[in-house]
Amino acid sequence: MGEGKPMKAEAEASSVSARAPDQKTPVQEQKESVSPVSEKPETGDPTTEMTSTDRDAELEKVESEKRYALIKAWEENEKAKVENKTHKKILAVASWETTKKAYVETQIKKYEEKVEKKKAKYAEKKKNKIAEIHKEREEKRAMVEAKREEQYRKVEEIAARYRSLGYMPRKFLGCFAN
């Protein structure tokens, strides 16, 4: 990516410090041969004239600022890349979450529909059982009513026979019996 640039700057810094002070690097030689734009024209006045050490120091300062600017630009670029990757991953996680939520909601709806169907089925069974119980109750009631009517007729027949014969029933009231 851009990892080679800082290492190059470090290598230059270490190679400059490892050389003897009287040896010049190719970059320094080139800098000396090219005069900087900010250099003032020579007027012959020794106070206004830049010495070679001043010029070297100025060039070293400019080179250092340039190196730091490149390092800062690289750092900002890498930070932007990290930020973009992080943003993409966060979006992927959000998308995954949305997908999982939709899946879970679908499963819950299916389960709820199944439960509602079972509930309706059991409600129908309950209604049918209640109707069956009601029907049986009516049948039993009708049977009890029929039996009562039959017993009434039987009692009326026996009472009519006793009247016709003039007898008294034997088990009428225990206290009136002879």
Side-chain angles (χ1 to χ4, degrees):
M1 292 183 194
E3 295 174 3
K5 289 182 182 179
M7 296 179 88
K8 184 177 178 183
E10 290 173 6
E12 285 179 12
S14 64
S15 66
V16 169
S17 63
R19 293 193 180 146
D22 60 339
Q23 291 181 339
K24 295 185 178 179
T25 62
V27 175
Q28 288 176 336
E29 289 175 7
Q30 185 181 13
K31 288 180 188 175
E32 288 179 359
S33 65
V34 177
S35 63
V37 177
S38 65
E39 192 174 309
K40 296 179 182 178
E42 294 184 24
T43 58
D45 188 13
T47 57
T48 58
E49 215 174 277
M50 288 186 82
T51 63
S52 67
T53 55
D54 291 340
R55 186 176 44 211
D56 286 344
E58 191 69 30
L59 287 174
E60 191 64 33
K61 183 180 175 185
V62 168
E63 192 64 32
S64 161
E65 289 174 359
K66 181 179 175 183
R67 191 175 333 122
Y68 288 133
L70 287 173
I71 291 170
K72 184 169 177 111
W74 174 84
E75 180 184 17
E76 294 297 323
N77 186 28
E78 291 298 312
K79 284 181 179 179
K81 285 180 184 177
V82 168
E83 188 67 30
N84 289 338
K85 284 180 184 178
T86 304
H87 184 68
K88 284 181 183 178
K89 287 181 180 180
I90 288 172
L91 289 177
V93 167
S95 173
W96 173 83
E97 178 189 19
T98 304
T99 303
K100 290 294 181 181
K101 278 183 179 179
Y103 176 76
V104 168
E105 287 176 2
T106 303
Q107 293 299 329
I108 288 173
K109 283 182 182 179
K110 284 181 182 178
Y111 182 73
E112 286 175 349
E113 288 174 4
K114 194 184 235 184
V115 167
E116 287 296 321
K117 285 180 182 178
K118 282 186 178 182
K119 190 175 179 181
K121 182 180 174 182
Y122 287 128
E124 186 67 28
K125 280 185 178 181
K126 179 183 169 185
K127 285 180 185 178
N128 290 343
K129 284 192 176 196
I130 289 173
E132 187 177 316
I133 290 170
H134 184 69
K135 182 180 175 184
E136 286 180 25
R137 182 195 75 157
E138 290 298 320
E139 288 174 359
K140 286 183 179 185
R141 185 170 164 250
M143 287 172 62
V144 168
E145 288 289 326
K147 198 170 195 179
R148 184 186 75 175
E149 290 295 323
E150 183 181 327
Q151 287 176 351
Y152 271 173
R153 271 185 270 143
K154 187 176 179 182
V155 168
E156 287 175 359
E157 286 176 11
I158 293 174
R161 194 175 347 147
Y162 282 140
R163 281 186 201 117
S164 67
L165 296 176
Y167 292 122
M168 240 177 109
R170 291 185 185 185
K171 293 185 181 178
F172 175 56
L173 288 173
C175 60
F176 296 116
N178 329 13

